Amino acid sequence: MAEKTGNAFDLNLFKRLLKFTRPYKLVFYFVAIAAILLSGLAVVRPLILQNIIDRAIIPKEEELLLYFVSLMLVALVAEVIFQFLFVYFANWLGQHVIRDIRIKLFNHMVGFKKQYFDKSAVGRLVTRAVSDIETIASIFSEGLFMIISDLLKMIVILGYMFYQSWRLTLFVLLVLPLILYATRVFQKKMKAAFEEVRTQVSNLNSFVQERITGMKIVQLFTREEKEYTNFKQINEKHKKGWIRTVWYNSIFFPIAEMSSSITIGLIVWFGGLQAAQGGVITLGIVVAFIELSQMLFRPLRQIADKFNTLQMGMVAANRVFAILDTKSAIQNNGTIKLEQVEGNIQFNNVRFSYIEAEEVLKGVTMNVNAGETIAIVGATGAGKSTIVNLLSRFYEINSGSILIDGTDIKDIELKSLRSHIALVLQDVFLFADTILNNITLGDPSISEEDVKQAAKEIGIHDFIMSLPNNYLYNVKERGAMLSSGQRQLISFLRAYVTNPGVLILDEATSSVDSYSEQLIQQATEKITEGRTSIVIAHRLATIRNADKIIVMDAGQIVEQGNHQELLQIEGGYYRNLYEVQFVSGIE
């Protein structure tokens, strides 16, 4: 995992970033060469200016003046062209690199265990995948190459200044240590400040996303004022993080400007005396040195500014690589690809815990024959939903084994395993897209006609046709334009159209209206016909006709049998549930 570092520049982290530039080596080398050429062009204009004063203006040579002005124009045009190419391709490289990193990050995250998402704030993951990665682009567009170009300029300028007059150069260098020291302190302070800023941005994103998603609860329980107060506090911390960066900038840049002015004063004083006395230092050299000193200090100030950008990019890269280094994916070492699933399922002494040393399943053993419909009932927290999560390998079991058609699910290729299992959840998730796309999920093997035929078979075609635009009706974010019952019907169709070998219904009718429940009951009868089905339900009315009912309590199977058999158990768990729901009239 990428580690936090107090260093202003993390070389190992930077090497990892450079690996992403390998597919774009030609552009990388071009940008590097352009940076070198720009540093050489930096001294051309001061050199020409020096010649204009000493060889054309003072001797009053009009032809030479025109010649040097023409040279100045050519130098300016060349500098502009190279500057344009440098900036464009540096940004081009940065955007291609972050595109590749973002693809790799998303591909890595979609393979994580469900347990990872249980513990990670969605807002933070969104920040990593969007704004943090965008910040990484600035390393190439505004940070790295700009800093290299500025450093090369400073080296070339200093070399030229020593060549022209080592004494004037020493006056310039008298002030240089002050700027270097201030720059170094500035970099360290800004490093810590930007880490704080990124942390507060993540907190802010998480808070806003959660409250917007749960706005109904916020308003229902009149939490507006409290959440407003909480938001102000988080936003205040975010503001303070940025104020720290503003504070450091407001100290550093006046110091840099003051140092530059002092340098100009020293050049004019010493150089002017020498020029007035007819020494080796001419008026042209004095003017050139004034411009050269500005060109020397300006990159220093810009380097400090660009170093901020570089540091922000490195902090963002550190956070992104921390996710890329996270080993939370289900191990997909299976090599068996299932062509067809009959639906024989075995749980052999399966033990599992979400939190270490707190077992949720305590040695569960059960058999489901092909084509059977089994129901799992029990109190909340008994382990019902955990069983179906383990069957789909959303989590890894602690011990024991789970077999499908006699094959351990760990030996089955993960995509192949899940393609033969359809899951209908209580909380249906729909994307902000059409009904058709929410059913097919982009599977090219499922045509619109297949969807319509499946909808007719399970009795919900008329419901969909009653909507505006029918199958092309956009349900908006999380299916907000549909009722819970309608969303549930869509999820039934989504499961049915894939023709799964194993069907799982997890509390699929627990929160729907009576009309939708009738449609769902009809759909359930059709969808479970001829395939292995596992139904989890609190309402016993929905599972009385199941081939087998498994009763769970505290992570263990306490009773098994069909509806009539379980009712014969005196004082049995299932019988008590039945009496509460039916005899007492609470169905």
Side-chain angles (χ1 to χ4, degrees):
M1 181 179 287
E3 296 178 356
K4 275 190 174 184
T5 174
N7 298 327
F9 186 80
D10 190 327
L11 184 59
N12 291 327
L13 193 62
F14 182 67
K15 286 179 179 178
R16 289 190 67 178
L17 275 175
L18 282 184
K19 290 179 182 178
F20 287 92
T21 66
R22 287 175 181 172
Y24 317 106
K25 287 188 293 186
L26 289 178
V27 175
F28 182 87
Y29 292 142
F30 174 80
V31 174
I33 291 169
I36 295 171
L37 291 174
L38 282 171
S39 65
L41 288 171
V43 298
V44 172
R45 285 186 291 112
L47 174 62
I48 294 174
L49 182 61
Q50 176 187 334
N51 279 278
I52 286 175
I53 294 171
D54 289 342
R55 297 176 58 186
I57 293 178
I58 293 177
K60 299 181 181 179
E61 295 284 345
E62 293 183 11
E63 290 184 4
L64 272 179
L65 179 62
L66 182 62
Y67 170 72
F68 284 126
V69 168
S70 300
L71 277 183
M72 179 78 79
L73 181 62
V74 170
L76 282 171
V77 171
E79 194 170 351
V80 166
I81 291 173
F82 276 106
Q83 189 71 35
F84 164 75
L85 293 173
F86 173 74
V87 172
Y88 176 80
F89 283 106
N91 279 275
W92 185 95
L93 180 64
Q95 289 302 317
H96 280 72
V97 165
I98 66 167
R99 179 199 63 184
D100 295 347
I101 295 176
R102 186 175 280 129
I103 290 171
K104 184 174 182 179
L105 179 67
F106 184 80
N107 188 50
H108 187 63
M109 286 197 299
V110 296
F112 281 164
K113 300 175 186 176
K114 193 169 178 293
Q115 200 163 10
Y116 178 86
F117 298 104
D118 293 341
K119 298 177 180 179
S120 301
V122 175
R124 283 189 174 85
L125 295 178
V126 171
T127 300
R128 301 293 175 267
V130 181
S131 60
D132 276 345
I133 289 186
E134 200 63 45
T135 305
I136 292 174
S138 62
I139 291 178
F140 299 94
S141 60
E142 301 173 34
L144 170 69
F145 291 114
M146 292 291 187
I147 289 174
I148 291 174
S149 177
D150 286 344
L151 286 173
L152 288 173
K153 280 182 184 178
M154 291 171 63
I155 292 170
V156 171
I157 288 169
L158 276 173
Y160 179 73
M161 290 172 77
F162 268 111
Y163 171 75
Q164 286 293 336
S165 172
W166 63 268
R167 287 181 294 177
L168 268 183
T169 306
L170 288 179
F171 276 102
V172 173
L173 293 180
L174 282 175
V175 185
L176 194 60
L178 174 62
I179 296 224
L180 290 174
Y181 175 74
T183 302
R184 179 61 178 165
V185 173
F186 181 64
Q187 289 164 359
K188 286 184 176 181
K189 295 294 185 182
M190 291 299 280
K191 166 80 171 174
F194 280 131
E195 284 191 353
E196 176 65 18
V197 166
R198 298 312 303 168
T199 298
Q200 296 307 326
V201 167
S202 293
N203 292 340
L204 198 60
N205 283 347
S206 295
F207 183 89
V208 172
Q209 179 158 354
E210 278 191 348
R211 270 57 186 183
I212 291 176
T213 305
M215 188 57 68
K216 183 185 292 185
I217 301 299
V218 171
Q219 294 178 348
L220 182 63
F221 289 90
T222 63
R223 294 273 303 175
E224 294 94 337
E225 189 173 337
K226 178 63 177 175
E227 297 304 336
Y228 171 69
T229 302
N230 291 339
F231 178 79
K232 285 207 304 184
Q233 292 173 351
I234 294 174
N235 198 37
E236 180 67 18
K237 291 179 181 178
H238 176 256
K239 182 206 72 176
K240 286 180 178 177
W242 275 110
I243 289 296
R244 282 181 64 193
T245 67
V246 173
W247 169 251
Y248 296 137
N249 275 303
S250 63
I251 293 175
F252 173 76
F253 288 103
I255 291 175
E257 287 295 333
M258 180 185 68
S259 303
S260 176
S261 299
I262 291 172
T263 303
I264 292 174
L266 291 172
I267 291 171
V268 171
W269 170 70
F270 182 78
L273 285 176
Q274 293 292 313
Q277 294 171 3
V280 293
I281 297 177
T282 64
L283 183 60
I285 291 176
V286 172
V287 173
F289 259 72
I290 291 173
E291 185 170 352
L292 287 167
S293 67
Q294 295 305 295
M295 293 174 67
L296 181 67
F297 289 145
R298 192 181 305 121
L300 265 180
R301 295 195 295 273
Q302 290 176 347
I303 282 175
D305 195 34
K306 291 178 177 66
F307 218 103
N308 296 341
T309 302
L310 180 62
Q311 285 174 330
M312 287 185 74
M314 295 299 282
V315 169
N318 187 67
R319 294 173 184 271
V320 170
F321 283 133
I323 296 179
L324 285 173
D325 292 339
T326 299
K327 306 297 182 184
S328 186
I330 295 289
Q331 294 302 309
N332 188 17
N333 298 323
T335 56
I336 298 172
K337 292 190 176 181
L338 302 174
E339 296 298 327
Q340 189 173 357
V341 169
E342 293 181 13
N344 292 296
I345 300 171
Q346 290 177 272
F347 275 64
N348 298 319
N349 195 29
V350 173
R351 293 181 176 275
F352 172 77
S353 56
Y354 294 102
I355 302 172
E356 193 174 348
E358 293 183 19
E359 281 192 331
V360 176
L361 296 186
K362 304 170 183 177
V364 170
T365 297
M366 68 178 190
N367 293 312
V368 183
N369 297 321
E372 276 189 339
T373 295
I374 74 157
I376 305 176
V377 300
T380 301
K384 306 184 299 296
S385 296
T386 299
I387 285 178
V388 299
N389 282 331
L390 296 179
L391 182 60
S392 302
R393 287 198 73 195
F394 291 132
Y395 300 89
E396 295 280 29
I397 60 177
N398 296 349
S399 63
S401 62
I402 302 174
L403 311 179
I404 290 184
D405 292 344
T407 303
D408 194 314
I409 60 173
K410 289 184 178 179
D411 298 327
I412 302 171
E413 198 272 329
L414 196 58
K415 185 177 180 180
S416 177
L417 170 69
R418 291 176 179 170
S419 68
H420 290 280
I421 299 174
L423 179 60
V424 179
L425 298 169
Q426 174 185 359
D427 183 18
V428 179
F429 187 93
L430 298 179
F431 295 95
D433 206 334
T434 64
I435 287 178
L436 179 64
N437 289 339
N438 269 290
I439 292 167
T440 64
L441 295 177
D443 188 341
S445 66
I446 304 173
S447 69
E448 185 174 350
E449 286 306 313
D450 293 333
V451 173
K452 289 181 177 179
Q453 181 58 37
K456 291 174 183 177
E457 290 175 5
I458 66 174
I460 66 171
H461 175 71
D462 292 341
F463 143 63
I464 296 175
M465 293 302 293
S466 69
L467 297 170
N469 297 323
N470 314 131
Y471 285 85
L472 299 181
Y473 180 61
N474 193 312
V475 300
K476 304 303 180 182
E477 188 175 358
R478 298 182 69 90
M481 301 304 292
L482 301 176
S483 69
S484 59
Q486 290 172 331
R487 290 196 296 270
Q488 199 65 265
L489 289 169
I490 298 300
S491 71
F492 267 81
L493 181 54
R494 180 162 62 189
Y496 181 64
V497 79
T498 62
N499 192 27
V502 177
L503 173 68
I504 300 169
L505 306 178
D506 189 355
E507 304 282 7
T509 61
S510 63
S511 59
V512 297
D513 56 82
S514 58
Y515 174 72
S516 296
E517 185 174 0
Q518 286 181 345
L519 290 177
I520 288 173
Q521 287 291 355
Q522 295 171 18
T524 301
E525 291 175 11
K526 180 64 179 178
I527 197 173
T528 57
E529 188 178 310
R531 60 169 53 88
T532 303
S533 303
I534 301 174
V535 181
I536 296 173
H538 280 300
R539 293 182 179 182
L540 302 188
T542 61
I543 51 97
R544 279 184 294 186
N545 296 325
D547 297 307
K548 186 195 303 183
I549 299 171
I550 295 173
V551 184
M552 295 194 66
D553 183 36
Q556 295 178 310
I557 296 176
V558 293
E559 292 172 6
Q560 292 189 59
N562 62 35
H563 176 69
Q564 293 300 328
E565 289 170 347
L566 293 175
L567 286 181
Q568 301 305 314
I569 302 175
E570 193 70 34
Y573 192 103
Y574 182 82
R575 180 170 172 172
N576 290 336
L577 283 177
Y578 178 80
E579 290 174 351
V580 169
Q581 289 193 17
F582 288 91
V583 178
S584 302
I586 308 174
E587 185 181 350

